[in-house]
Each structure stands twice: as C-alpha cells, then as structure tokens.
Amino acid sequence: MASPPLPPTAKIFCPNSTSHTSTATFNPLFPKKSRRPSLATNPKQGFVCKATKNNDQNHDCMGKLDRRNMLIGLGAGGLYGTAGLETNPFAFAAPVPPPDLATCGPADKPDGTIIDCCPPNTTTIIDFKLPDPGPIRTRPAAQNVAKDLLYLAKYKEAVELVRVLPEDDPRSLAQQAMVHCSYCDGGYPMAGFSDLEIQVHFCWLFYPWHRWYLYFHEKIMGKLIDDPTFALPFWNWDAPAGMYIPSIFTDPTSSLYDQYRNAAHQPPKILDLNYGGTDDDTDDKTRIKENLTTMYQQMISKATSHHLFFGEPYRAGDDPNPGAGNIESIPHNNIHLWTGDPTQTNGEDMGTFCSAGRDPIFYSHHSNVDRMWSLYKARGGTDITKTDWLDTGFLFYNENKNLVRVKVRDSLDESKRGYKYQDVDIPWLKSKPTARKSKNKRKAAVSSAQLTSKFPATLSETISVEVARPSAAKRTAAEKAKEEEVLVISGIEFAGSGMLKVDVYVNDDADVVSGKDKAEFARSFVHVPHRANKKLKTTLRLGITNLLTDLGAEEDSSVVVTLVPKFGKTPITKGGFFFFLEHNWFG
Ligand code: C2O
C-alpha cells in the first residue's frame, strides 16, 4: 500500500511543529529515578545548566531532568540535522570523571553470577603525558602476519607472558579482561553519583575508551617482550580477506587460541556482519556483498555527523546507554555475538562483555574498530569538540604497573601515541547499496492491519509504523551534507542479560523484507548481553539521508518503518524484551 494516511491515533512528533505529542509513557515496570544531585549540594561538579529555549519544557536546573521532555526538547527545537545535538538545551557540561578505584564494587554476569573485576587499588595516580612517540608502531592486518614468523613469534610470546602473569598483576590477561568487565558490567559507581554506574558502551565514550584500553594493552605486551615497536594485529573484518576468524587465532597449541568460541564459526566460515544469533544458508558470495554494503552504510552513508559516528553524549550524572554510534552497534556488537561460544551460559568469551577480554581476538577485533575511527577521520570526519567529551577521564594501569589518568582529548591523534595501521584495500568504499524496487514502485507494501500506531509497543513480531518527515522539500546536496535526517527509535527497553537484534527497514514490504545489501535495510539495533536482572534503556538513531535519496523518497511527507525482531537461540537469550517506542526525526 502506498503511503497510507496517518492513523488518527499515531503519536508522531516532528521537530518543526510547535505542538507535539509524547509517546514516552511512564512505565511502571521501570520507574524512573532522577539521580542528578542539585547544584547546591554538589558545587564541585561544575555543572553548567544552559538556558532552556522553550519555556514549556520541564527542566529543573537544580537537577531534575524529565527524560521524556528531554527527548521532546531535542526534537522540538526547530532544528533539522544532527547539528541540533550540539545545541541541546539540556546539555550539562561536566564530563564523566575517572572512577575512584576505592569504590569499585562487584560486577555481574548476565546469568546473575556476581564477579569481582576490581583492579588492585593504589593511591598514586600519574597523569598521562604524551610520550615522545619514538618509532611508529604499525598495526598489521591479522591475515597478513600468518606467514610473518618473526612477528607471530613475538605476538605469541607477548600473549603467553600476559597469560602467565599472576592474576593480581594488573598487566595480566586476566586483569586486562577485568578492566573491561569493571567498566562495562557495573563495577564502578560514577564519582559524585553513587547510584549511577560508569558504562563505556552505548555512548560517545566507546571509541576513546577502547582506544586507551588497547594502547596500554599493547604497551604492556611490548615491554614484556622488550620490543617497543610491537603493535597488535587488527582483525580486518571489513574486507573479504579478513572476513573469518584469522588463522593465527585458531591453532589450539598457540597462546592466541581460546577454546570458548563458536565451533560453527571456524574458518572458512565467512563472518556475518549482521549476525543476530542464528546462522542461515546465505552463500558466501552474497554474504560478502552484504558485509561490504554494511560497511559502506555504517562508514559512509550514515557517518555524515560525528554524533552518529561516535554515539550519544554521556556526561556526569547521566543514565548509562544513551545510544551507540554506527560502528559500535554494527558490526562491532554482531562480531562479539558471532565469535562467542553459544554453548557457554553467557556466550563466553566474546559473547558477553565481562569475559570478552580473555580472548586474544578481542584486542584484534577492537584494533579494527579503532581503525574505523582512523579511517573516518582520514575521509574527512571530525572529532567531537565539546569539552565534556574531551575532558572525560579514565584510569588504566600502564606497562610499569603505574595507575595512569588519561583524558579523551589525548586519544584523538594516533600518531602522537606512536602507532598507525597497515594500509590495506578498503573494498567497501565502493559498495553502495541498491534499492530493491524499481523507482516507480518504491513504496512500502504494508497493509493497514500491519501498521501499528499504539506506543509503547512490545515487540514480539514484525511491526510497521508510518512516520511523518520533518520536511518533504527537496534538499540540495550541500544541505544534506550539513544536516543528516535521523530516524530515532527511543525508549527501547530490554533485559540486558539477553541477546537481541531488531532489523529496521524503510519503505520495504513487511511480509518479505529485503536483503541485507539493499538500500531499504536501514540496519539494526544490536545488543551484546551484559548485566544481570537489569532493564537497559537506550535509543537507536539511524542516519537515513542517503537511504531516502536511494529510495527516491526525499520528497515524501512520510515513510513506513518496519521493525523485525530477532532473538538469539537459548541459552543466550534470557528474559523478556519490552519495547517502548517513540518515533521522531530530529537532528
Ligand atoms: Cu567494550 Cu567490544 O566491547
């Protein structure tokens, strides 16, 4: 059916309208807690409460922030394009402070097991100083070092050495894995906000935190083998040459091996960058094409704004998980799920955050994630310039077992920290998706019965919703380059302990959705299990400017969005998933 009339009860709001309807209904299952302390009681937090632009927005400068109105506020500012995020009238300026190791507490696994991931504590903290970079370390593609026996011997030795260090040595692989666990599974309360945890995923800290984490891991290994030029290999999963578990990790006699990986995903099984818990019989050629298209979409089509690339702002006093950036969401999360062992209770090792760092492949996976940041910038992408990102602090143990305080701002330039990536082919640069349908048929085939208008909705099967666009006027290329149109699915609530993926299609047929290499596929929401007994709440934002152009829908007043939930097979999947959707376009 072509562009059905808007159901009268559909709750859609639009940035350019002056009145709007909220769909963020209070949900008694997950009561909201306002945890921002008042300025009066926390003078040292340095909050800057910016003036609100709209008087009707319920914003209390002294600390109470109504998240429903925050979302509306973003949408109602009359802004179109992600530039609007920069002018969020509710922005507080305090960056997330580094954790206080003395307050580190138990973390949890998805199955409810409580674990102690806390690092050894020390009161001496050194502030990181950019070193003399010395010889540039070049991180090689993992598939290219399989025959480089000298490199391989060093790398194996380095991993062997971190494996045999005593467990309480902060340089040991066990402790390195715990660093990830405590920052990702509830180990650290946020300083000044004792009932908030620090979480470095699903937000704009994802890239810089992991860059620092790899930096120290690599330095530790280099020092142990007495080779300051040692550099981690990257898992080149964005190119066909690297779209399988690199062979250096699959020799059971090597220190690089981890037995807790999916047995069905050993080479030559091609990696599925859209993996959602189950294998299908897609042939290799199609899979590679889908993967390359996925990379094109995540890195080119949708990386026009740095907020979509990095993820959503996350500042002192914020609830965790405001929203992941493109690559964190896909394929980073999918590769975790694809690699972990589904016969383990929590998909260990790679399939859940608390154990991911026990598998040496984790650090190569993240080297490639980090490489995407470098490629994004090499192609003209910009870093965030706000101080509440730049001044965010973290603590890591360095190669000398000293505790070091680092800031995001010192992570931006890899060359200053002495490393770069081997130049390899980037075939996804040319892998633009094509529309499934011919131009004159590019409308969603969705019956009125399939259209949902009641929100929040529990997503147990495919649903479609018609979403009004902020403007149906044709935009120039310059306007599009400046302002991304963003599909927002907010209020996504789900059990953190379960694996979850929701595919999102625009103007597609609800009964038989298109393939993963088609322009209609706007990508997915993907969750890697972590945390027990905890409902997580987040927002998915998909840049769709190019998608609308590809589908010839630029001048339509609405689009039809179809959501297809995929749940992993037991035992990874646990608990129920509840979705509370709002939909909106905003910048
Ligand atoms: Cu911190 Cu790949 O996750």
Side-chain angles (χ1 to χ4, degrees), residues 180 184 200-201 206 209-210 332 336 353 356 362 365-366:
H180 195 246
C184 318
V200 296
H201 299 86
F206 175 77
W209 185 88
H210 288 85
H332 160 263
H336 271 283
F353 289 150
F362 171 87
H365 174 33
H366 271 276

mmCIF file of all heavy atoms in Angstrom, residues 180 184 200-201 206 209-210 332 336 353 356 362 365-366, ligand 1:
data_model
loop_
_atom_site.group_PDB
_atom_site.id
_atom_site.type_symbol
_atom_site.label_atom_id
_atom_site.label_comp_id
_atom_site.label_asym_id
_atom_site.label_seq_id
_atom_site.Cartn_x
_atom_site.Cartn_y
_atom_site.Cartn_z
ATOM 1 N N HIS A 180 37.916 -4.436 31.342
ATOM 2 C CA HIS A 180 36.719 -4.306 30.503
ATOM 3 C C HIS A 180 35.475 -4.594 31.320
ATOM 4 O O HIS A 180 34.479 -3.879 31.249
ATOM 5 C CB HIS A 180 36.820 -5.273 29.313
ATOM 6 C CG HIS A 180 35.857 -4.980 28.214
ATOM 7 N ND1 HIS A 180 34.844 -5.831 27.871
ATOM 8 C CD2 HIS A 180 35.743 -3.911 27.384
ATOM 9 C CE1 HIS A 180 34.160 -5.306 26.862
ATOM 10 N NE2 HIS A 180 34.685 -4.140 26.553
ATOM 11 N N CYS A 184 32.304 -2.063 32.245
ATOM 12 C CA CYS A 184 31.162 -2.376 31.375
ATOM 13 C C CYS A 184 30.059 -3.152 32.073
ATOM 14 O O CYS A 184 28.976 -3.316 31.517
ATOM 15 C CB CYS A 184 31.613 -3.197 30.174
ATOM 16 S SG CYS A 184 33.140 -2.617 29.457
ATOM 17 N N VAL A 200 30.882 2.393 29.435
ATOM 18 C CA VAL A 200 31.574 2.992 28.283
ATOM 19 C C VAL A 200 31.044 2.501 26.930
ATOM 20 O O VAL A 200 31.606 2.818 25.893
ATOM 21 C CB VAL A 200 33.104 2.781 28.365
ATOM 22 C CG1 VAL A 200 33.662 3.521 29.578
ATOM 23 C CG2 VAL A 200 33.466 1.305 28.411
ATOM 24 N N HIS A 201 29.962 1.734 26.971
ATOM 25 C CA HIS A 201 29.317 1.341 25.716
ATOM 26 C C HIS A 201 28.027 2.149 25.531
ATOM 27 O O HIS A 201 27.596 2.826 26.440
ATOM 28 C CB HIS A 201 28.997 -0.160 25.730
ATOM 29 C CG HIS A 201 30.235 -0.996 25.879
ATOM 30 N ND1 HIS A 201 30.768 -1.302 27.101
ATOM 31 C CD2 HIS A 201 31.057 -1.541 24.952
ATOM 32 C CE1 HIS A 201 31.868 -2.011 26.924
ATOM 33 N NE2 HIS A 201 32.071 -2.171 25.631
ATOM 34 N N PHE A 206 32.636 5.222 23.704
ATOM 35 C CA PHE A 206 33.024 3.910 23.180
ATOM 36 C C PHE A 206 34.378 3.937 22.458
ATOM 37 O O PHE A 206 35.282 3.162 22.783
ATOM 38 C CB PHE A 206 31.920 3.407 22.240
ATOM 39 C CG PHE A 206 32.259 2.124 21.541
ATOM 40 C CD1 PHE A 206 32.187 0.912 22.212
ATOM 41 C CD2 PHE A 206 32.653 2.121 20.208
ATOM 42 C CE1 PHE A 206 32.504 -0.283 21.561
ATOM 43 C CE2 PHE A 206 32.968 0.931 19.557
ATOM 44 C CZ PHE A 206 32.890 -0.270 20.239
ATOM 45 N N TRP A 209 37.482 5.278 24.901
ATOM 46 C CA TRP A 209 37.818 4.365 25.999
ATOM 47 C C TRP A 209 38.554 3.136 25.461
ATOM 48 O O TRP A 209 39.591 2.734 25.973
ATOM 49 C CB TRP A 209 36.563 3.922 26.784
ATOM 50 C CG TRP A 209 36.953 3.098 27.977
ATOM 51 C CD1 TRP A 209 37.269 3.563 29.231
ATOM 52 C CD2 TRP A 209 37.142 1.673 28.026
ATOM 53 N NE1 TRP A 209 37.635 2.519 30.044
ATOM 54 C CE2 TRP A 209 37.569 1.350 29.343
ATOM 55 C CE3 TRP A 209 36.994 0.643 27.094
ATOM 56 C CZ2 TRP A 209 37.848 0.034 29.739
ATOM 57 C CZ3 TRP A 209 37.277 -0.665 27.493
ATOM 58 C CH2 TRP A 209 37.694 -0.952 28.791
ATOM 59 N N HIS A 210 38.018 2.538 24.403
ATOM 60 C CA HIS A 210 38.660 1.335 23.861
ATOM 61 C C HIS A 210 40.008 1.649 23.235
ATOM 62 O O HIS A 210 40.906 0.818 23.250
ATOM 63 C CB HIS A 210 37.731 0.624 22.867
ATOM 64 C CG HIS A 210 36.569 -0.054 23.531
ATOM 65 N ND1 HIS A 210 35.400 0.595 23.838
ATOM 66 C CD2 HIS A 210 36.408 -1.330 23.982
ATOM 67 C CE1 HIS A 210 34.564 -0.244 24.436
ATOM 68 N NE2 HIS A 210 35.137 -1.421 24.537
ATOM 69 N N HIS A 332 30.349 -4.017 15.245
ATOM 70 C CA HIS A 332 31.078 -4.382 16.470
ATOM 71 C C HIS A 332 30.298 -5.373 17.338
ATOM 72 O O HIS A 332 30.827 -6.411 17.742
ATOM 73 C CB HIS A 332 31.424 -3.115 17.281
ATOM 74 C CG HIS A 332 31.712 -3.395 18.712
ATOM 75 N ND1 HIS A 332 30.757 -3.253 19.706
ATOM 76 C CD2 HIS A 332 32.830 -3.865 19.327
ATOM 77 C CE1 HIS A 332 31.291 -3.612 20.860
ATOM 78 N NE2 HIS A 332 32.536 -3.981 20.665
ATOM 79 N N HIS A 336 30.976 -9.601 18.215
ATOM 80 C CA HIS A 336 31.042 -10.213 19.553
ATOM 81 C C HIS A 336 30.128 -11.439 19.612
ATOM 82 O O HIS A 336 30.529 -12.516 20.066
ATOM 83 C CB HIS A 336 30.592 -9.212 20.619
ATOM 84 C CG HIS A 336 31.708 -8.363 21.146
ATOM 85 N ND1 HIS A 336 32.630 -8.828 22.049
ATOM 86 C CD2 HIS A 336 32.048 -7.072 20.894
ATOM 87 C CE1 HIS A 336 33.494 -7.858 22.329
ATOM 88 N NE2 HIS A 336 33.169 -6.784 21.640
ATOM 89 N N PHE A 353 30.385 -8.995 27.676
ATOM 90 C CA PHE A 353 31.475 -8.064 27.940
ATOM 91 C C PHE A 353 32.405 -8.509 29.069
ATOM 92 O O PHE A 353 33.599 -8.238 29.041
ATOM 93 C CB PHE A 353 30.933 -6.670 28.247
ATOM 94 C CG PHE A 353 30.351 -5.974 27.036
ATOM 95 C CD1 PHE A 353 29.313 -5.059 27.174
ATOM 96 C CD2 PHE A 353 30.849 -6.217 25.766
ATOM 97 C CE1 PHE A 353 28.784 -4.416 26.071
ATOM 98 C CE2 PHE A 353 30.328 -5.576 24.653
ATOM 99 C CZ PHE A 353 29.281 -4.666 24.807
ATOM 100 N N ALA A 356 34.920 -10.994 27.483
ATOM 101 C CA ALA A 356 35.427 -10.798 26.115
ATOM 102 C C ALA A 356 36.944 -10.630 26.098
ATOM 103 O O ALA A 356 37.637 -11.176 25.229
ATOM 104 C CB ALA A 356 34.740 -9.600 25.464
ATOM 105 N N PHE A 362 39.821 -10.546 20.935
ATOM 106 C CA PHE A 362 39.105 -9.337 21.333
ATOM 107 C C PHE A 362 39.906 -8.086 20.996
ATOM 108 O O PHE A 362 39.372 -7.093 20.485
ATOM 109 C CB PHE A 362 38.832 -9.397 22.840
ATOM 110 C CG PHE A 362 38.282 -8.134 23.440
ATOM 111 C CD1 PHE A 362 36.922 -7.882 23.457
ATOM 112 C CD2 PHE A 362 39.121 -7.195 24.023
ATOM 113 C CE1 PHE A 362 36.418 -6.716 24.023
ATOM 114 C CE2 PHE A 362 38.635 -6.035 24.595
ATOM 115 C CZ PHE A 362 37.269 -5.789 24.586
ATOM 116 N N HIS A 365 39.939 -7.522 17.333
ATOM 117 C CA HIS A 365 38.618 -7.012 16.941
ATOM 118 C C HIS A 365 38.574 -5.502 17.201
ATOM 119 O O HIS A 365 38.221 -4.700 16.325
ATOM 120 C CB HIS A 365 37.546 -7.751 17.748
ATOM 121 C CG HIS A 365 36.146 -7.237 17.566
ATOM 122 N ND1 HIS A 365 35.692 -6.716 16.373
ATOM 123 C CD2 HIS A 365 35.101 -7.156 18.448
ATOM 124 C CE1 HIS A 365 34.414 -6.351 16.526
ATOM 125 N NE2 HIS A 365 34.045 -6.588 17.763
ATOM 126 N N HIS A 366 38.991 -5.119 18.390
ATOM 127 C CA HIS A 366 38.925 -3.692 18.727
ATOM 128 C C HIS A 366 39.975 -2.853 18.006
ATOM 129 O O HIS A 366 39.778 -1.652 17.826
ATOM 130 C CB HIS A 366 38.936 -3.478 20.240
ATOM 131 C CG HIS A 366 37.532 -3.513 20.766
ATOM 132 N ND1 HIS A 366 36.720 -2.407 20.752
ATOM 133 C CD2 HIS A 366 36.785 -4.543 21.227
ATOM 134 C CE1 HIS A 366 35.523 -2.747 21.199
ATOM 135 N NE2 HIS A 366 35.527 -4.039 21.499
HETATM 136 CU CU1 C2O B 1 33.916 -2.961 25.205
HETATM 137 CU CU2 C2O B 1 33.763 -4.855 22.046
HETATM 138 O O1 C2O B 1 33.413 -4.097 23.719
#
